[in-house]
Amino acid sequence: MTKIPLNLQTASGHQVLAAAGKKYLRPGGRIATDKLLMWANLQPGETVLELASSFGYSAIALAQRYHVKVIGIEKNHESVIHARANIHAAGLDNQIEIIEGDIFHLEQIPIKFDYVLAEAILTMQSPQGKAKLLAAIHHHLKPGEKFLSHELLASNKEAEIRKELAQVIRVNSTPLSETSWIQAFATAGLQVQQHHTGSMNLLNWQRMLQEEGIVNTIKILWNILTQPLIRQRVLEMRHVFHKYHQELGYILISAVAQ
């Protein structure tokens, strides 16, 4: 099968970072995700629906660490192929299934889950898209079970941040304030039990070294330095993150389906 090359001029920010070799693409990094999963208290045999599974790294980590069963949904065909190959290489074909599909058409998955996990997915939706997706998430949770979310936070200057983020990440990203996120969840029947906010760490080099390891961090830096289009896109994103470092951060939310 011929692989379609990524257009680095038009690709989304997370695709560019993945092309550079970055594995952890969440605003709060792996440490924030670990905190979110600690709240969840996942048990062996429980079921998790992961939205936008990308290359399957998160699904593999969940299955290996917590011995849960994961169904992931991913729209990008190349990412689905990559994810399935990674899952097979990890020997987890019996624990993880990746479905090629749109997160706005979750009706193709007819079962309910103990958990739904979405990281940096809701942020990229319009207000109407957020509401629609949260309603679908509620529908796919068993009563009393949890939605785990790790999203981008804008504590101030939301309109400015939205405009400049859209320019550099090529997605109409709409981060919300802490209050607005909690209200959006409540409107969808998802009662927030725990939440936590922190600073943006997506392009923090010290955190990258800690989370990606020395070898992969060197690989990422090499790709950025030697590939002009990747370098341009990363520097554009880094500039906006730095400009709004006091306003931009992440939020973790654990909410229960009512």
Side-chain angles (χ1 to χ4, degrees):
M1 180 176 178
T2 302
K3 185 175 181 179
I4 301 172
L6 183 68
N7 185 331
L8 291 169
Q9 290 281 16
T10 60
S12 66
H14 78 274
Q15 288 177 313
V16 172
L17 292 174
K22 201 170 190 309
K23 293 183 178 181
Y24 297 101
L25 301 171
R26 314 314 186 200
R30 188 181 67 187
I31 290 174
T33 295
D34 285 348
K35 184 180 186 72
L36 184 64
L37 296 176
M38 180 185 70
W39 290 348
N41 192 29
L42 296 154
Q43 298 298 313
E46 290 185 317
T47 56
V48 180
L49 172 63
E50 184 190 24
L51 305 186
S53 298
S54 187
F55 294 160
Y57 296 131
S58 296
I60 290 169
L62 283 170
Q64 289 177 332
R65 185 173 178 181
Y66 299 102
H67 307 289
V68 293
K69 296 181 179 179
V70 184
I71 291 181
I73 183 166
E74 171 57 47
K75 187 176 182 179
N76 183 276
H77 180 67
E78 294 295 327
S79 295
V80 170
I81 293 172
H82 196 156
R84 288 172 177 167
N86 287 338
I87 290 161
H88 182 72
L92 294 169
D93 295 291
N94 292 329
Q95 279 182 258
I96 305 171
E97 178 185 0
I98 301 296
I99 295 172
E100 185 171 344
D102 193 325
I103 59 174
F104 282 99
H105 292 285
L106 293 179
E107 64 273 6
Q108 65 182 293
I109 305 175
I111 61 175
K112 293 183 183 287
F113 294 83
D114 297 303
Y115 302 91
V116 176
L117 174 65
E119 297 190 273
I121 304 304
L122 289 167
T123 298
M124 294 188 288
Q125 316 306 326
S126 67
Q128 296 78 12
K130 285 179 173 65
K132 181 178 180 180
L133 193 52
L134 284 167
I137 289 167
H138 182 278
H139 178 74
H140 277 76
L141 279 168
K142 297 174 184 177
E145 299 300 353
K146 295 178 180 178
F147 174 42
L148 307 172
S149 182
H150 178 174
E151 298 294 339
L152 195 58
L153 179 78
S155 60
N156 200 0
K157 303 179 182 178
E158 291 180 44
E160 292 178 40
I161 289 171
R162 176 181 177 180
K163 181 179 178 180
E164 294 201 38
L165 273 180
Q167 292 174 346
V168 299
I169 69 173
R170 311 293 196 264
V171 176
N172 193 21
S173 178
T174 312
L176 301 178
S177 67
E178 182 177 341
T179 300
S180 295
W181 275 120
I182 292 171
Q183 181 57 52
F185 277 55
T187 300
L190 295 161
Q191 182 180 358
V192 174
Q193 285 194 321
Q194 292 173 285
H195 71 282
H196 171 80
T197 63
S199 59
M200 164 75 88
N201 288 308
L202 188 59
L203 289 176
N204 180 307
W205 301 116
Q206 184 176 359
R207 179 63 65 84
M208 191 183 300
L209 184 64
Q210 181 181 5
E211 296 189 342
E212 301 280 351
I214 295 174
V215 173
N216 204 47
T217 298
I218 292 172
K219 175 186 174 183
I220 293 166
L221 291 173
W222 176 256
N223 287 333
I224 291 171
L225 289 171
T226 59
Q227 299 188 46
L229 285 177
I230 289 181
R231 182 169 67 250
Q232 176 188 340
R233 292 291 308 278
V234 170
L235 289 176
E236 288 173 349
M237 286 185 274
R238 185 172 170 80
H239 171 74
V240 173
F241 294 164
H242 179 73
K243 180 178 178 179
Y244 294 106
H245 71 278
Q246 292 185 327
E247 294 83 18
L248 264 178
Y250 70 88
I251 185 167
L252 308 176
I253 299 177
S254 174
V256 173
Q258 298 298 292

